[in-house]
Amino acid sequence: MHDQLLQLRQLIQAVYPLPDEDWHAFTGIWQPFSAKRKEIITAAGEREKYLYFVLEGLQRVYYYDEQDREATLVFTYAPSFGGVLDAMMLHQPSRYTYETLTPSFFLRAPYHEVEIIMKNRPAVETMVRMGVTNALSGLLERLAEIQCYSSEDKFRKLLQRSPHILQLVPHKYLANYLGIDPTNFSKIINKIKI
């Protein structure tokens, strides 16, 4: 598990470096966890009990409404945090589903233990707050893109931000994520030189 914790540390160092004593306290709460392809990790209506750190695989968080419409909200893959973060932090049932798209391997920490460490170690609380703030910033940028950009511009922006995503994520999920009809998505891919 040492190598996996090193991956976690590299990500945390990029967000907000922790002093060694805080880092050691934080590492004590993580345990390995794996899931098969197309496995629901957190279902809508359930409470999100864990913070996940993705080591391998591809996952998505999506919303499904009463009219059978589906909206892919976010993809997670190594190295990133995963789970339904708002449900976890607000201690509320999730409105969204977190599922694997490929076999996946994680480290996961019970959120109640994350909260205890945050209360006792201000640097950990600051690191979590910075991570959530960065995620919110990215979400707001994405909302502006969805509401203002043409389908082609949304696709170009996605490739600018995450050029590797076409190799990771099946196109039907990317089309859904961008709010583009799958047929139009195929036309855009064929039109734009990558």
Side-chain angles (χ1 to χ4, degrees), residues 26 28 75 77-78 107 128 131 138 166 169:
F26 191 61
F75 297 105
Y77 46 87
L107 292 178
V128 171
L166 284 176
V169 178

Side-chain angles (χ1 to χ4, degrees), residues 84-187:
V84 186
L85 300 181
D86 68 324
M88 177 187 71
M89 296 182 84
L90 295 170
H91 300 278
Q92 295 178 347
S94 177
R95 292 173 286 182
Y96 314 111
T97 300
Y98 186 45
E99 81 167 339
T100 61
L101 296 178
T102 64
S104 300
F105 188 65
F106 308 86
L107 292 178
R108 73 177 185 181
Y111 189 63
H112 71 276
E113 291 185 34
V114 174
E115 285 184 310
I116 291 169
I117 290 176
M118 286 169 50
K119 286 177 186 174
N120 295 322
R121 299 198 175 264
V124 173
E125 189 279 332
T126 300
M127 180 269 301
V128 171
R129 183 174 40 81
M130 293 297 296
V132 170
T133 302
N134 288 333
L136 176 60
S137 177
L139 176 63
L140 292 174
E141 181 179 347
R142 186 165 130 62
L143 282 172
E145 292 168 10
I146 287 173
Q147 292 182 9
C148 297
Y149 287 23
S150 69
S151 295
E152 193 171 310
D153 288 341
K154 285 188 263 188
F155 181 73
R156 287 180 192 280
K157 188 68 172 177
L158 176 67
L159 289 182
Q160 179 184 355
R161 185 173 45 246
S162 303
H164 58 282
I165 200 137
L166 284 176
Q167 283 73 47
L168 288 176
V169 178
H171 292 178
K172 72 177 186 176
Y173 295 117
L174 285 176
N176 184 265
Y177 174 75
L178 293 172
I180 301 172
D181 178 83
T183 304
N184 290 340
F185 185 82
S186 292
K187 290 177 185 175

